[in-house]
């Protein structure tokens, strides 16, 4: 599959055959993630592979934080319980779950909060590029994958329960696995490029 075909056919796929990827497959994919562009040649991304045994505790820790956030928004307990259950099911159902983090210790620091903020923004840009590498290589290898943003909202809880270095801030997770037998690639709508484009002349 060439790169254009790979970009065009990549989709977020949320249904999997059971069975995690092998350690070698995970390493091969992450070895391509870390070829993403990064500001000042830093390498801000880190990855945490969450074992099946840790999934429940991980989902509960994130859920506890999310519950507090939802209560602040006056969401009813019944609705909260349903949302948390759905989120936990997604975390548990992922055959392979990889959390992507940004290592704050790897970023440049200045005596200027605004400059530090730009460094953090740039590291997020680089993170997105790294995660896109994962999604593309997954597609190229005929694997199913999708992005899960919940760790962003519970970075501290995630670190505490999974015990990785404290400077690693969880930004997102990626669920990866093999396609179901009856997998049909979803059709993509044509993107009307002119709606996203301004020629400055
Ligand atoms: C920053 C970001 C956060 C996302 N968070 C989630 C998520 O929490 N759960 C989910 O199912 N998909 C998530 N997605 C996937 C999007 O829903 C998906 O990319 C979008 O619907 C377009 O579909 P496509 O990826 O098939 O082109 C996220 C994507 C991005 C880039």
């Amino acid at each position: 599959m060439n790169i254009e075909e790979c970009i065009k056919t990549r989709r977020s796929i949320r249904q999997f055959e059971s069975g995690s990827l092998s350690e070698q497959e995970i390493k091969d994919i992450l070895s391509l993630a870390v070829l993403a562009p990064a500001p000042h040649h830093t390498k801000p991304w880190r990855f945490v592979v969450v074992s099946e045994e840790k999934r429940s505790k991980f989902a509960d820790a994130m859920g506890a934080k999310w519950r507090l956030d939802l209560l602040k928004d006056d969401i009813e307990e019944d609705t909260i319980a349903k949302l948390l259950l759905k989120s936990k099911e997604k975390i548990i159902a992922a055959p392979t779950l990889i959390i992507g983090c940004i290592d704050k210790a790897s970023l440049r620091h200045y005596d200027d909060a605004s400059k530090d903020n730009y460094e953090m923004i740039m590291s997020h840009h680089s993170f997105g590029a790294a995660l896109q590498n994962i999604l593309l290589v997954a597609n190229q290898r005929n694997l199913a994958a999708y992005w899960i943003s919940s760790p962003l909202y519970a970075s501290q809880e995630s670190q505490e329960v999974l015990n990785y270095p404290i400077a690693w801030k969880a930004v997102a997770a990626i669920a990866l696995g093999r396609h179901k037998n009856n997998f049909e690639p979803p059709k993509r709508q044509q993107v009307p490029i002119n709606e996203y484009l301004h020629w400055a002349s």
Side-chain angles (χ1 to χ4, degrees), residues 19 29 76 89 97 113 116 122 163 177 182 195:
I29 290 171
E76 290 184 2
E89 282 170 356
L97 188 79
D116 277 348
M122 286 198 291
N163 202 27
N182 58 355
E195 289 180 16

Side-chain angles (χ1 to χ4, degrees), residues 117-177:
N117 186 41
Y118 288 126
E119 289 301 310
M120 182 50 90
I121 291 171
M122 286 198 291
S123 72
H124 278 264
H125 295 165
S126 177
F127 179 89
L131 257 63
Q132 175 74 337
N133 279 2
I134 295 178
L135 296 175
L136 288 175
V137 73
N139 184 37
Q140 197 242 342
R141 289 175 174 224
N142 199 29
L143 296 171
Y146 76 103
W147 187 306
I148 300 175
S149 48
S150 48
L152 177 67
Y153 302 89
S155 181
Q156 190 183 329
E157 290 73 11
S158 166
Q159 186 276 327
E160 283 168 4
V161 81
L162 299 177
N163 202 27
Y164 50 78
I166 207 158
W168 295 16
K169 300 297 163 199
V171 181
I174 287 209
L176 281 159

Side-chain angles (χ1 to χ4, degrees), residues 56-82:
S56 187
K57 268 192 167 174
F58 171 60
D60 288 343
M62 287 203 303
K65 167 68 171 32
W66 194 21
R67 181 173 171 275
L68 296 178
D69 293 341
L70 291 167
L71 285 172
K72 276 190 216 151
D73 291 340
D74 288 333
I75 310 291
E76 290 184 2
E77 286 282 8
D78 267 11
T79 312
I80 293 179
K82 280 183 199 146

Side-chain angles (χ1 to χ4, degrees), residues 16-59:
F16 305 94
E17 205 61 79
S18 58
S20 60
L21 305 191
S22 70
E23 205 174 303
Q24 193 56 51
E25 281 176 299
I26 294 171
K27 284 185 180 172
D28 288 348
I29 290 171
L30 294 180
S31 301
L32 294 165
V34 298
L35 300 183
H40 328 293
H41 305 281
T42 56
K43 300 199 180 306
W45 355 260
R46 302 291 182 269
F47 300 97
V48 179
V49 183
V50 188
S51 69
E52 280 180 27
E53 299 76 55
K54 283 276 182 189
R55 297 290 180 85
S56 187
K57 268 192 167 174
F58 171 60

